[in-house]
PDB file of all heavy atoms in Angstrom:
ATOM      1  N   LEU U 170     102.469 -45.730  35.034  1.00 98.00           N
ATOM      2  CA  LEU U 170     103.863 -45.714  35.480  1.00 98.00           C
ATOM      3  C   LEU U 170     104.476 -47.115  35.431  1.00 98.00           C
ATOM      4  O   LEU U 170     105.554 -47.297  34.848  1.00 98.00           O
ATOM      5  CB  LEU U 170     103.985 -45.083  36.870  1.00 98.00           C
ATOM      6  CG  LEU U 170     105.409 -44.796  37.328  1.00 98.00           C
ATOM      7  CD1 LEU U 170     106.144 -43.896  36.336  1.00 98.00           C
ATOM      8  CD2 LEU U 170     105.384 -44.144  38.697  1.00 98.00           C
ATOM      9  N   PRO U 171     103.811 -48.137  35.996  1.00 98.00           N
ATOM     10  CA  PRO U 171     104.366 -49.497  35.846  1.00 98.00           C
ATOM     11  C   PRO U 171     104.436 -49.945  34.384  1.00 98.00           C
ATOM     12  O   PRO U 171     105.401 -50.601  33.981  1.00 98.00           O
ATOM     13  CB  PRO U 171     103.395 -50.373  36.639  1.00 98.00           C
ATOM     14  CG  PRO U 171     102.766 -49.457  37.613  1.00 98.00           C
ATOM     15  CD  PRO U 171     102.684 -48.121  36.921  1.00 98.00           C
ATOM     16  N   ALA U 172     103.436 -49.572  33.577  1.00 98.00           N
ATOM     17  CA  ALA U 172     103.446 -49.962  32.162  1.00 98.00           C
ATOM     18  C   ALA U 172     104.668 -49.387  31.459  1.00 98.00           C
ATOM     19  O   ALA U 172     105.392 -50.099  30.750  1.00 98.00           O
ATOM     20  CB  ALA U 172     102.157 -49.521  31.474  1.00 98.00           C
ATOM     21  N   LEU U 173     104.921 -48.114  31.667  1.00 98.00           N
ATOM     22  CA  LEU U 173     106.073 -47.467  31.051  1.00 98.00           C
ATOM     23  C   LEU U 173     107.379 -48.070  31.562  1.00 98.00           C
ATOM     24  O   LEU U 173     108.293 -48.351  30.777  1.00 98.00           O
ATOM     25  CB  LEU U 173     106.028 -45.962  31.334  1.00 98.00           C
ATOM     26  CG  LEU U 173     107.146 -45.136  30.704  1.00 98.00           C
ATOM     27  CD1 LEU U 173     107.093 -45.215  29.186  1.00 98.00           C
ATOM     28  CD2 LEU U 173     107.042 -43.686  31.167  1.00 98.00           C
ATOM     29  N   ALA U 174     107.462 -48.284  32.867  1.00 98.00           N
ATOM     30  CA  ALA U 174     108.673 -48.869  33.453  1.00 98.00           C
ATOM     31  C   ALA U 174     108.933 -50.273  32.900  1.00 98.00           C
ATOM     32  O   ALA U 174     110.075 -50.604  32.558  1.00 98.00           O
ATOM     33  CB  ALA U 174     108.553 -48.913  34.974  1.00 98.00           C
ATOM     34  N   LEU U 175     107.895 -51.081  32.803  1.00 98.00           N
ATOM     35  CA  LEU U 175     108.062 -52.445  32.290  1.00 98.00           C
ATOM     36  C   LEU U 175     108.485 -52.453  30.820  1.00 98.00           C
ATOM     37  O   LEU U 175     109.256 -53.314  30.396  1.00 98.00           O
ATOM     38  CB  LEU U 175     106.767 -53.249  32.479  1.00 98.00           C
ATOM     39  CG  LEU U 175     106.460 -53.637  33.914  1.00 98.00           C
ATOM     40  CD1 LEU U 175     105.009 -54.085  34.061  1.00 98.00           C
ATOM     41  CD2 LEU U 175     107.415 -54.725  34.397  1.00 98.00           C
ATOM     42  N   PHE U 176     107.999 -51.489  30.060  1.00 98.00           N
ATOM     43  CA  PHE U 176     108.366 -51.418  28.645  1.00 98.00           C
ATOM     44  C   PHE U 176     109.812 -50.963  28.472  1.00 98.00           C
ATOM     45  O   PHE U 176     110.568 -51.526  27.688  1.00 98.00           O
ATOM     46  CB  PHE U 176     107.427 -50.471  27.892  1.00 98.00           C
ATOM     47  CG  PHE U 176     107.656 -50.478  26.407  1.00 98.00           C
ATOM     48  CD1 PHE U 176     107.036 -51.424  25.611  1.00 98.00           C
ATOM     49  CD2 PHE U 176     108.490 -49.546  25.811  1.00 98.00           C
ATOM     50  CE1 PHE U 176     107.252 -51.439  24.241  1.00 98.00           C
ATOM     51  CE2 PHE U 176     108.708 -49.557  24.445  1.00 98.00           C
ATOM     52  CZ  PHE U 176     108.080 -50.508  23.654  1.00 98.00           C
ATOM     53  N   VAL U 177     110.220 -49.953  29.230  1.00 98.00           N
ATOM     54  CA  VAL U 177     111.507 -49.296  29.024  1.00 98.00           C
ATOM     55  C   VAL U 177     112.673 -50.039  29.673  1.00 98.00           C
ATOM     56  O   VAL U 177     113.779 -50.048  29.132  1.00 98.00           O
ATOM     57  CB  VAL U 177     111.430 -47.839  29.543  1.00 98.00           C
ATOM     58  CG1 VAL U 177     112.783 -47.183  29.581  1.00 98.00           C
ATOM     59  CG2 VAL U 177     110.471 -47.039  28.672  1.00 98.00           C
ATOM     60  N   TYR U 178     112.441 -50.686  30.817  1.00 98.00           N
ATOM     61  CA  TYR U 178     113.577 -51.242  31.557  1.00 98.00           C
ATOM     62  C   TYR U 178     114.323 -52.316  30.771  1.00 98.00           C
ATOM     63  O   TYR U 178     115.532 -52.490  30.945  1.00 98.00           O
ATOM     64  CB  TYR U 178     113.126 -51.751  32.935  1.00 98.00           C
ATOM     65  CG  TYR U 178     112.896 -53.230  33.039  1.00 98.00           C
ATOM     66  CD1 TYR U 178     113.865 -54.051  33.602  1.00 98.00           C
ATOM     67  CD2 TYR U 178     111.726 -53.824  32.551  1.00 98.00           C
ATOM     68  CE1 TYR U 178     113.658 -55.420  33.701  1.00 98.00           C
ATOM     69  CE2 TYR U 178     111.528 -55.167  32.648  1.00 98.00           C
ATOM     70  CZ  TYR U 178     112.497 -55.974  33.213  1.00 98.00           C
ATOM     71  OH  TYR U 178     112.307 -57.325  33.299  1.00 98.00           O
ATOM     72  N   ILE U 179     113.632 -53.008  29.888  1.00 98.00           N
ATOM     73  CA  ILE U 179     114.282 -54.058  29.083  1.00 98.00           C
ATOM     74  C   ILE U 179     115.435 -53.466  28.284  1.00 98.00           C
ATOM     75  O   ILE U 179     116.550 -54.015  28.274  1.00 98.00           O
ATOM     76  CB  ILE U 179     113.248 -54.746  28.163  1.00 98.00           C
ATOM     77  CG1 ILE U 179     112.218 -55.500  28.992  1.00 98.00           C
ATOM     78  CG2 ILE U 179     113.942 -55.678  27.170  1.00 98.00           C
ATOM     79  CD1 ILE U 179     111.028 -56.030  28.191  1.00 98.00           C
ATOM     80  N   ASP U 180     115.198 -52.342  27.608  1.00 98.00           N
ATOM     81  CA  ASP U 180     116.254 -51.727  26.803  1.00 98.00           C
ATOM     82  C   ASP U 180     117.241 -50.916  27.632  1.00 98.00           C
ATOM     83  O   ASP U 180     118.408 -50.802  27.256  1.00 98.00           O
ATOM     84  CB  ASP U 180     115.645 -50.847  25.712  1.00 98.00           C
ATOM     85  CG  ASP U 180     115.153 -51.662  24.525  1.00 98.00           C
ATOM     86  OD1 ASP U 180     115.537 -52.841  24.397  1.00 98.00           O
ATOM     87  OD2 ASP U 180     114.375 -51.115  23.725  1.00 98.00           O
ATOM     88  N   LEU U 181     116.774 -50.362  28.756  1.00 98.00           N
ATOM     89  CA  LEU U 181     117.711 -49.623  29.613  1.00 98.00           C
ATOM     90  C   LEU U 181     118.834 -50.529  30.117  1.00 98.00           C
ATOM     91  O   LEU U 181     119.981 -50.112  30.211  1.00 98.00           O
ATOM     92  CB  LEU U 181     116.985 -48.994  30.803  1.00 98.00           C
ATOM     93  CG  LEU U 181     116.166 -47.752  30.510  1.00 98.00           C
ATOM     94  CD1 LEU U 181     115.451 -47.274  31.778  1.00 98.00           C
ATOM     95  CD2 LEU U 181     117.033 -46.633  29.943  1.00 98.00           C
ATOM     96  N   ILE U 182     118.488 -51.765  30.413  1.00 98.00           N
ATOM     97  CA  ILE U 182     119.485 -52.721  30.908  1.00 98.00           C
ATOM     98  C   ILE U 182     120.078 -53.542  29.771  1.00 98.00           C
ATOM     99  O   ILE U 182     121.281 -53.787  29.721  1.00 98.00           O
ATOM    100  CB  ILE U 182     118.856 -53.660  31.959  1.00 98.00           C
ATOM    101  CG1 ILE U 182     118.396 -52.860  33.174  1.00 98.00           C
ATOM    102  CG2 ILE U 182     119.835 -54.759  32.368  1.00 98.00           C
ATOM    103  CD1 ILE U 182     117.541 -53.651  34.160  1.00 98.00           C
ATOM    104  N   GLY U 183     119.239 -53.964  28.830  1.00 98.00           N
ATOM    105  CA  GLY U 183     119.660 -54.948  27.841  1.00 98.00           C
ATOM    106  C   GLY U 183     120.151 -54.422  26.516  1.00 98.00           C
ATOM    107  O   GLY U 183     120.905 -55.118  25.830  1.00 98.00           O
ATOM    108  N   TYR U 184     119.750 -53.218  26.122  1.00 98.00           N
ATOM    109  CA  TYR U 184     120.174 -52.716  24.816  1.00 98.00           C
ATOM    110  C   TYR U 184     121.084 -51.494  24.897  1.00 98.00           C
ATOM    111  O   TYR U 184     122.156 -51.476  24.285  1.00 98.00           O
ATOM    112  CB  TYR U 184     118.962 -52.386  23.934  1.00 98.00           C
ATOM    113  CG  TYR U 184     119.365 -51.730  22.639  1.00 98.00           C
ATOM    114  CD1 TYR U 184     120.027 -52.452  21.647  1.00 98.00           C
ATOM    115  CD2 TYR U 184     119.133 -50.379  22.422  1.00 98.00           C
ATOM    116  CE1 TYR U 184     120.438 -51.846  20.475  1.00 98.00           C
ATOM    117  CE2 TYR U 184     119.529 -49.758  21.254  1.00 98.00           C
ATOM    118  CZ  TYR U 184     120.183 -50.500  20.279  1.00 98.00           C
ATOM    119  OH  TYR U 184     120.592 -49.888  19.125  1.00 98.00           O
ATOM    120  N   LEU U 185     120.679 -50.479  25.630  1.00 98.00           N
ATOM    121  CA  LEU U 185     121.431 -49.219  25.623  1.00 98.00           C
ATOM    122  C   LEU U 185     122.899 -49.349  26.012  1.00 98.00           C
ATOM    123  O   LEU U 185     123.754 -48.770  25.336  1.00 98.00           O
ATOM    124  CB  LEU U 185     120.734 -48.174  26.485  1.00 98.00           C
ATOM    125  CG  LEU U 185     119.473 -47.582  25.857  1.00 98.00           C
ATOM    126  CD1 LEU U 185     118.805 -46.590  26.810  1.00 98.00           C
ATOM    127  CD2 LEU U 185     119.761 -46.926  24.524  1.00 98.00           C
ATOM    128  N   PRO U 186     123.256 -50.110  27.056  1.00 98.00           N
ATOM    129  CA  PRO U 186     124.688 -50.226  27.373  1.00 98.00           C
ATOM    130  C   PRO U 186     125.498 -50.816  26.209  1.00 98.00           C
ATOM    131  O   PRO U 186     126.583 -50.309  25.894  1.00 98.00           O
ATOM    132  CB  PRO U 186     124.716 -51.154  28.590  1.00 98.00           C
ATOM    133  CG  PRO U 186     123.369 -50.994  29.214  1.00 98.00           C
ATOM    134  CD  PRO U 186     122.420 -50.781  28.067  1.00 98.00           C
ATOM    135  N   GLY U 187     124.971 -51.846  25.560  1.00 97.00           N
ATOM    136  CA  GLY U 187     125.672 -52.449  24.423  1.00 97.00           C
ATOM    137  C   GLY U 187     125.724 -51.536  23.221  1.00 97.00           C
ATOM    138  O   GLY U 187     126.739 -51.472  22.512  1.00 97.00           O
ATOM    139  N   ALA U 188     124.646 -50.807  22.964  1.00 97.00           N
ATOM    140  CA  ALA U 188     124.626 -49.875  21.837  1.00 97.00           C
ATOM    141  C   ALA U 188     125.653 -48.763  22.031  1.00 97.00           C
ATOM    142  O   ALA U 188     126.370 -48.390  21.096  1.00 97.00           O
ATOM    143  CB  ALA U 188     123.228 -49.297  21.663  1.00 97.00           C
ATOM    144  N   ILE U 189     125.741 -48.256  23.252  1.00 98.00           N
ATOM    145  CA  ILE U 189     126.723 -47.210  23.548  1.00 98.00           C
ATOM    146  C   ILE U 189     128.136 -47.766  23.407  1.00 98.00           C
ATOM    147  O   ILE U 189     129.001 -47.148  22.772  1.00 98.00           O
ATOM    148  CB  ILE U 189     126.481 -46.617  24.954  1.00 98.00           C
ATOM    149  CG1 ILE U 189     125.167 -45.835  24.964  1.00 98.00           C
ATOM    150  CG2 ILE U 189     127.656 -45.746  25.399  1.00 98.00           C
ATOM    151  CD1 ILE U 189     124.662 -45.466  26.353  1.00 98.00           C
ATOM    152  N   ALA U 190     128.384 -48.945  23.981  1.00 98.00           N
ATOM    153  CA  ALA U 190     129.711 -49.555  23.882  1.00 98.00           C
ATOM    154  C   ALA U 190     130.075 -49.828  22.423  1.00 98.00           C
ATOM    155  O   ALA U 190     131.221 -49.606  22.010  1.00 98.00           O
ATOM    156  CB  ALA U 190     129.752 -50.852  24.695  1.00 98.00           C
ATOM    157  N   HIS U 191     129.111 -50.293  21.644  1.00 97.00           N
ATOM    158  CA  HIS U 191     129.353 -50.585  20.229  1.00 97.00           C
ATOM    159  C   HIS U 191     129.761 -49.316  19.479  1.00 97.00           C
ATOM    160  O   HIS U 191     130.709 -49.325  18.695  1.00 97.00           O
ATOM    161  CB  HIS U 191     128.095 -51.202  19.602  1.00 97.00           C
ATOM    162  CG  HIS U 191     128.207 -51.447  18.142  1.00 97.00           C
ATOM    163  ND1 HIS U 191     128.852 -52.545  17.629  1.00 97.00           N
ATOM    164  CD2 HIS U 191     127.759 -50.734  17.074  1.00 97.00           C
ATOM    165  CE1 HIS U 191     128.796 -52.505  16.311  1.00 97.00           C
ATOM    166  NE2 HIS U 191     128.138 -51.418  15.952  1.00 97.00           N
ATOM    167  N   ARG U 192     129.061 -48.238  19.715  1.00 96.00           N
ATOM    168  CA  ARG U 192     129.368 -46.984  19.023  1.00 96.00           C
ATOM    169  C   ARG U 192     130.720 -46.416  19.469  1.00 96.00           C
ATOM    170  O   ARG U 192     131.477 -45.889  18.660  1.00 96.00           O
ATOM    171  CB  ARG U 192     128.255 -45.972  19.237  1.00 96.00           C
ATOM    172  CG  ARG U 192     127.070 -46.271  18.331  1.00 96.00           C
ATOM    173  CD  ARG U 192     125.830 -45.472  18.693  1.00 96.00           C
ATOM    174  NE  ARG U 192     124.686 -45.799  17.871  1.00 96.00           N
ATOM    175  CZ  ARG U 192     123.936 -46.891  17.976  1.00 96.00           C
ATOM    176  NH1 ARG U 192     124.235 -47.812  18.872  1.00 96.00           N
ATOM    177  NH2 ARG U 192     122.900 -47.100  17.179  1.00 96.00           N
ATOM    178  N   ARG U 193     131.023 -46.562  20.750  1.00 97.00           N
ATOM    179  CA  ARG U 193     132.311 -46.066  21.261  1.00 97.00           C
ATOM    180  C   ARG U 193     133.482 -46.926  20.817  1.00 97.00           C
ATOM    181  O   ARG U 193     134.616 -46.442  20.778  1.00 97.00           O
ATOM    182  CB  ARG U 193     132.276 -46.008  22.789  1.00 97.00           C
ATOM    183  CG  ARG U 193     131.430 -44.887  23.320  1.00 97.00           C
ATOM    184  CD  ARG U 193     131.493 -44.825  24.831  1.00 97.00           C
ATOM    185  NE  ARG U 193     130.741 -43.692  25.334  1.00 97.00           N
ATOM    186  CZ  ARG U 193     130.427 -43.519  26.594  1.00 97.00           C
ATOM    187  NH1 ARG U 193     130.823 -44.395  27.507  1.00 97.00           N
ATOM    188  NH2 ARG U 193     129.739 -42.471  26.968  1.00 97.00           N
ATOM    189  N   ALA U 194     133.225 -48.184  20.491  1.00 96.00           N
ATOM    190  CA  ALA U 194     134.300 -49.108  20.121  1.00 96.00           C
ATOM    191  C   ALA U 194     134.884 -48.795  18.754  1.00 96.00           C
ATOM    192  O   ALA U 194     135.976 -49.284  18.433  1.00 96.00           O
ATOM    193  CB  ALA U 194     133.792 -50.548  20.170  1.00 96.00           C
ATOM    194  N   GLY U 195     134.188 -48.050  17.941  1.00 93.00           N
ATOM    195  CA  GLY U 195     134.734 -47.659  16.642  1.00 93.00           C
ATOM    196  C   GLY U 195     135.096 -48.831  15.748  1.00 93.00           C
ATOM    197  O   GLY U 195     136.150 -48.819  15.119  1.00 93.00           O
ATOM    198  N   GLY U 196     134.264 -49.844  15.714  1.00 89.00           N
ATOM    199  CA  GLY U 196     134.519 -50.997  14.842  1.00 89.00           C
ATOM    200  C   GLY U 196     135.209 -52.165  15.528  1.00 89.00           C
ATOM    201  O   GLY U 196     135.279 -53.257  14.969  1.00 89.00           O
ATOM    202  N   ARG U 197     135.743 -51.941  16.728  1.00 94.00           N
ATOM    203  CA  ARG U 197     136.357 -53.044  17.476  1.00 94.00           C
ATOM    204  C   ARG U 197     135.263 -53.853  18.166  1.00 94.00           C
ATOM    205  O   ARG U 197     134.165 -53.364  18.386  1.00 94.00           O
ATOM    206  CB  ARG U 197     137.350 -52.504  18.511  1.00 94.00           C
ATOM    207  CG  ARG U 197     138.532 -51.788  17.898  1.00 94.00           C
ATOM    208  CD  ARG U 197     139.528 -51.271  18.949  1.00 94.00           C
ATOM    209  NE  ARG U 197     138.929 -50.659  20.127  1.00 94.00           N
ATOM    210  CZ  ARG U 197     138.574 -49.388  20.239  1.00 94.00           C
ATOM    211  NH1 ARG U 197     138.744 -48.562  19.230  1.00 94.00           N
ATOM    212  NH2 ARG U 197     138.053 -48.913  21.360  1.00 94.00           N
ATOM    213  N   ARG U 198     135.578 -55.062  18.536  1.00 94.00           N
ATOM    214  CA  ARG U 198     134.625 -55.914  19.263  1.00 94.00           C
ATOM    215  C   ARG U 198     134.393 -55.353  20.659  1.00 94.00           C
ATOM    216  O   ARG U 198     135.283 -54.747  21.253  1.00 94.00           O
ATOM    217  CB  ARG U 198     135.165 -57.347  19.387  1.00 94.00           C
ATOM    218  CG  ARG U 198     135.282 -58.070  18.075  1.00 94.00           C
ATOM    219  CD  ARG U 198     133.941 -58.556  17.673  1.00 94.00           C
ATOM    220  NE  ARG U 198     134.031 -59.245  16.393  1.00 94.00           N
ATOM    221  CZ  ARG U 198     133.019 -59.769  15.788  1.00 94.00           C
ATOM    222  NH1 ARG U 198     131.822 -59.668  16.324  1.00 94.00           N
ATOM    223  NH2 ARG U 198     133.146 -60.358  14.640  1.00 94.00           N
ATOM    224  N   ILE U 199     133.192 -55.585  21.164  1.00 97.00           N
ATOM    225  CA  ILE U 199     132.878 -55.184  22.537  1.00 97.00           C
ATOM    226  C   ILE U 199     132.797 -56.448  23.390  1.00 97.00           C
ATOM    227  O   ILE U 199     132.636 -57.552  22.859  1.00 97.00           O
ATOM    228  CB  ILE U 199     131.572 -54.366  22.613  1.00 97.00           C
ATOM    229  CG1 ILE U 199     130.371 -55.186  22.133  1.00 97.00           C
ATOM    230  CG2 ILE U 199     131.706 -53.079  21.808  1.00 97.00           C
ATOM    231  CD1 ILE U 199     129.023 -54.505  22.350  1.00 97.00           C
ATOM    232  N   PRO U 200     132.917 -56.327  24.704  1.00 97.00           N
ATOM    233  CA  PRO U 200     132.855 -57.512  25.568  1.00 97.00           C
ATOM    234  C   PRO U 200     131.532 -58.274  25.412  1.00 97.00           C
ATOM    235  O   PRO U 200     130.480 -57.680  25.166  1.00 97.00           O
ATOM    236  CB  PRO U 200     132.984 -56.934  26.984  1.00 97.00           C
ATOM    237  CG  PRO U 200     133.710 -55.644  26.798  1.00 97.00           C
ATOM    238  CD  PRO U 200     133.235 -55.110  25.474  1.00 97.00           C
ATOM    239  N   ARG U 201     131.608 -59.574  25.573  1.00 97.00           N
ATOM    240  CA  ARG U 201     130.437 -60.444  25.463  1.00 97.00           C
ATOM    241  C   ARG U 201     129.365 -60.111  26.498  1.00 97.00           C
ATOM    242  O   ARG U 201     128.206 -60.461  26.331  1.00 97.00           O
ATOM    243  CB  ARG U 201     130.846 -61.906  25.625  1.00 97.00           C
ATOM    244  CG  ARG U 201     131.627 -62.444  24.472  1.00 97.00           C
ATOM    245  CD  ARG U 201     131.970 -63.898  24.700  1.00 97.00           C
ATOM    246  NE  ARG U 201     132.577 -64.442  23.495  1.00 97.00           N
ATOM    247  CZ  ARG U 201     132.769 -65.716  23.293  1.00 97.00           C
ATOM    248  NH1 ARG U 201     132.404 -66.592  24.216  1.00 97.00           N
ATOM    249  NH2 ARG U 201     133.322 -66.143  22.181  1.00 97.00           N
TER     250      ARG U 201
END
């Protein structure tokens, strides 16, 4: 459980929000 949490939390916080915003932006810039 800690192994999985440590692996996944990096992208849950650091990648997924930006990836979603990027896709929703439709080619426009997203916030820094």
Side-chain angles (χ1 to χ4, degrees):
L170 190 57
L173 182 62
L175 288 165
F176 187 86
V177 170
Y178 99 100
I179 294 171
D180 281 344
L181 284 178
I182 297 170
Y184 174 70
L185 286 178
I189 292 167
H191 176 80
R192 282 168 183 76
R193 287 183 177 168
R197 296 181 318 273
R198 294 281 179 180
I199 62 172
R201 289 181 173 192

